[in-house]
Amino acid sequence: MTEVTAASTSAALTPHQVWVRIRGLLLALLVLVAAGIALATVRSGDQHGLLDPRSADRYGSRAVAELLKERGVSIHVVTTLDDATAAVGPDTTLLVASPNLLAPRQQSELRAATDDSAGRTVLVAAGPPSVGTLAPGVRAEPAGPVAPRAPGCSLPAARNAGDVETGGFRYSSDGLDAVGCFPSDGLPTVLLVEQGARDTVLLGSPDLLHNDRLANQGNASLALQLLGSRPHLIWYLPSLADSSAAAENGDAGGDNAPDDRSFADLIPQGWLWGTLQLALAAVLAAIWRARRLGPLVTERLPVAIRASESTEGRARLYRKANARDRAAESLRSATRTRIAPLIGVSPRDAHSPSTLVPAVSARLSGTDDSLQTLLFGPAPSDDAALIQLADQLDTLERKVRTS
């Protein structure tokens, strides 16, 4: 027990040695974190105020909001479902900026509130997670990149606007009183569904509402006609802080559609690509560092290295690693191997205390305890004790040779 404790103590690294070993890794990690923060800051700056009518940033919608105000349309920004449902009415247009962020229960409540009104609902970039509940009978599928598209329909607002930059999602409807415009591969990217006194507009992409795109093509004209048909505009920006998002309906017989998205669907696409790239880099690094295949090839050394230099270099490595236990065991093992043939002990028993110590004691007339400690004792506690052990082993070997 004492030998194990001493050996483990001597091999322990000092705080300075630990710092020297990990400082390179910490520096690389710091650089990686700093780069990630800088990249996140740059990208978050571009996305600040996304579809917010109060934001003048690139992806904000302040420009269209100001144009609507000049035409007498009042704009009320809400961030909770309760405020949005309480404000709907026959003289209002409800714009839902990101319907896919709404939980199934929120979608059902929003649909119930708009069904009882005679106003207009505008769903921006509504995809499969939300279109089935907010616009029953309508199906959504990807429409490709945003590009200028011709109206291709008889809707007056679309014909007056002309070509408009649309895309994102395209929609199909069965058995509904609907008008589809700006088609992509035969399916409209803007769909107007009329249901009695109320109607629902589905915009496949939010780009035409962004500040930097509003002046392109007929984007402004279409946006003003779709959002300015009623005197009041409720601009709903779904928020993750909305308490209604956590209140999911747990009844088995409820009308809410279950959220069947998998964990992989909730991970941003950029993270998936980043993980794939890291995995590929790890495989390439493993191949680069792997053992080379093929037979061993002998190679002449460019210089001759003296045994004393090799011994000194190995001793310095032991000292740098604070491995006094390994150094002491190496010295004792070499001494036992050399003196065993001199006293008639076989190489197999050279490292057996019960065989070697009595033989050495009989040869030198010494005590078994002192020889046991010298040849098989615990690791030295410091460098001075290691040097003293080396001297004692050298003296013992010299005595055995000359006796």
Side-chain angles (χ1 to χ4, degrees), residues 212-236:
D212 64 336
R213 286 183 179 258
L214 187 64
N216 297 346
Q217 306 293 329
N219 295 353
S221 175
L222 182 63
L224 293 177
Q225 294 180 81
L226 294 180
L227 301 183
S229 62
R230 270 74 172 177
H232 303 292
L233 173 61
I234 310 302
W235 200 296
Y236 179 26

Side-chain angles (χ1 to χ4, degrees), residues 143-149 164-169 189 204-208 213 219:
V146 174
R149 290 181 169 88
V164 171
E165 294 180 338
T166 60
F169 290 102
T189 56
S205 170
D207 288 60
L208 65 90
R213 286 183 179 258
N219 295 353

Side-chain angles (χ1 to χ4, degrees), residues 125-144:
S130 61
V131 71
T133 302
L134 296 177
V138 177
R139 295 185 301 274
E141 60 183 72

Side-chain angles (χ1 to χ4, degrees), residues 13 50 71 107 121 125 152 186 202 234 255 257 260 267 279 290 315 339 344 361:
L13 298 176
L50 182 64
R71 286 159 175 76
Q107 296 174 13
T121 303
L202 293 96
I234 310 302
D255 296 332
D260 56 354
I267 300 177
I339 67 176
S361 178

Side-chain angles (χ1 to χ4, degrees), residues 7 137 156 249 277 297 306:
N249 187 1
Q277 292 176 6
V297 178
R306 295 195 299 270

